[in-house]
Amino acid sequence: MAALEDVTDDVPTHPARTAPSETEGVLGRTYRALSIGIVTVVLLIAFEATAVGTAMPVAARELDGVSLYAFAFSGFFTTSLFGMVLAGQWADRSGPLGPVTAGIGSFAAGLLLAGTAGGMWMFIAGRAVQGLGGGLVIVGLYVVVSRAYPERLRPAIMAAFAASWVVPSIVGPLASGAVTEHIGWRWVFLGIPVLVVLPLALALPEVRRRAGGPPEGTAPARFDRRRIRLALGISLGAGLLQYAAQDLRPLSLLPAAVGVALLVPSVLGLLPKGTYRAARGLPSVVLLRGISAGSFIAAESFVPLMLVTQRGVSPTLAGFSLAAGGGTWAFGSWLQSRPRVEPYRERLVAGGMVLVAAAVAVAPSVLIPAVPVWTVAVAWAFGCLGMGLVISSTSVLLLQLSAPEEAGTNSAALQISDGLSNALLLAVGGAAFAALGGGAVGAAGHGAAQGAGGSHPAAFVAVFLPMAAVALVGVWVASRLRVHR
């Protein structure tokens, strides 16, 4: 679900923009249509992301493609990485309207393709088209925020993006389950494209008027073909590593080696220089986004499976154990948007990472029978509060630390760090889990395929404790988010 610095105070005014009141908010007359439109787009993407995991097992069985189950997720992920880089180049050249429009169209087309698929490979192709659209949209929207909103309103719109995940995270799986059971899994995919029409009608004219074209006073950027090649390398490399991590055989070393050979130079070429060593400023912002998202999501994917297999909790109740986190995540995003906390943003982010690390470390305590199951729900509520503080703050900092003509490229780097760390840490966690007898776990965003009952508790510990350690590294990185003046 980024990072920018004080240079954005000098963002030139687009000729078509009107001068808004200094006290006007994101729902004021100037920004109302744009805000409602783009937040609704995020809401629909969030609903699909949280609902698809519920429908996927039924879809895979019906399409006779259970053996290809994980590829339906990795196909989305690998193409979204490419879409992010393409969107960054496209937005820096001609503004965010093109990637946002094309991304929404691609996302809707992928939903239709998946919903009407007659076989598993066609379904996977639909998911890949969705991923391309998702990558285009998310980076395009970050550039819209950097161009259309003054700096004082960016924390608020980023908080609105985060809040738009709350209802889907609670309602999405339940609604998807009901639709899958009573109407059919296909309607989980086919129902959303129709709902995209209204936000498009609201947002696109405002995007054209308030954020169209390259930044005023700058020449249109040229497409960097090298970055496009690196984007292909990072997508393919990540996909190969995911495949190798799920197939623990000696033969898997070959795709793993090829994946690393493609991934390492691509990552070094696409992320800001110094990211791997947490250089101060933008590199550390990008690195922290990956550390926070990857450690938390990798751990979260195993929570329902742990509760079902180790404590005998029903799948529905296991999902509800994470429901409170949606509200606390939104509260954290709102809290970081308050003007009074701006001077303390680095401390706020460091505190958020402490909460994330603590939540991940506490979760496996329920493997001890004497520990109440609800301990996970409480821990995860605090962890999501920390994530709300961190994720929205890194988005705000990215916009502060990027010049207008670099907003697209840097936003793409932030999203790449987020998505790539999700996949890699999920792959590492899944490999450790499987190696210790935990069963097959799909490295797929927010979901984990259920392993066989009676999984050894040590398999879960091997996932949660390393992820808590990764989150603790993020506390140190949080001290390096700004360049000392």
Side-chain angles (χ1 to χ4, degrees), residues 327-430:
T328 57
W329 191 312
F331 177 72
S333 298
W334 173 84
L335 183 61
Q336 66 79 36
S337 72
R338 300 298 88 193
R340 292 181 180 179
V341 308
E342 181 60 36
Y344 312 103
R345 187 170 296 280
E346 289 80 4
R347 296 180 185 177
L348 204 67
V349 172
M353 289 307 304
V354 170
L355 290 175
V356 171
V360 174
V362 167
S365 67
V366 298
L367 294 168
I368 302 172
V371 176
V373 171
W374 51 258
T375 302
V376 170
V378 174
W380 228 247
F382 280 99
C384 286
L385 172 62
M387 287 296 287
L389 295 171
V390 174
I391 296 298
S392 294
S393 288
T394 53
S395 299
V396 171
L397 287 166
L398 179 75
L399 295 173
Q400 290 177 354
L401 291 166
S402 297
E405 66 274 12
E406 297 174 341
T409 297
N410 290 342
S411 295
L414 189 81
Q415 297 303 324
I416 288 170
S417 179
D418 187 319
L420 182 61
S421 66
N422 284 348
L424 294 183
L425 289 179
L426 272 166
V428 169

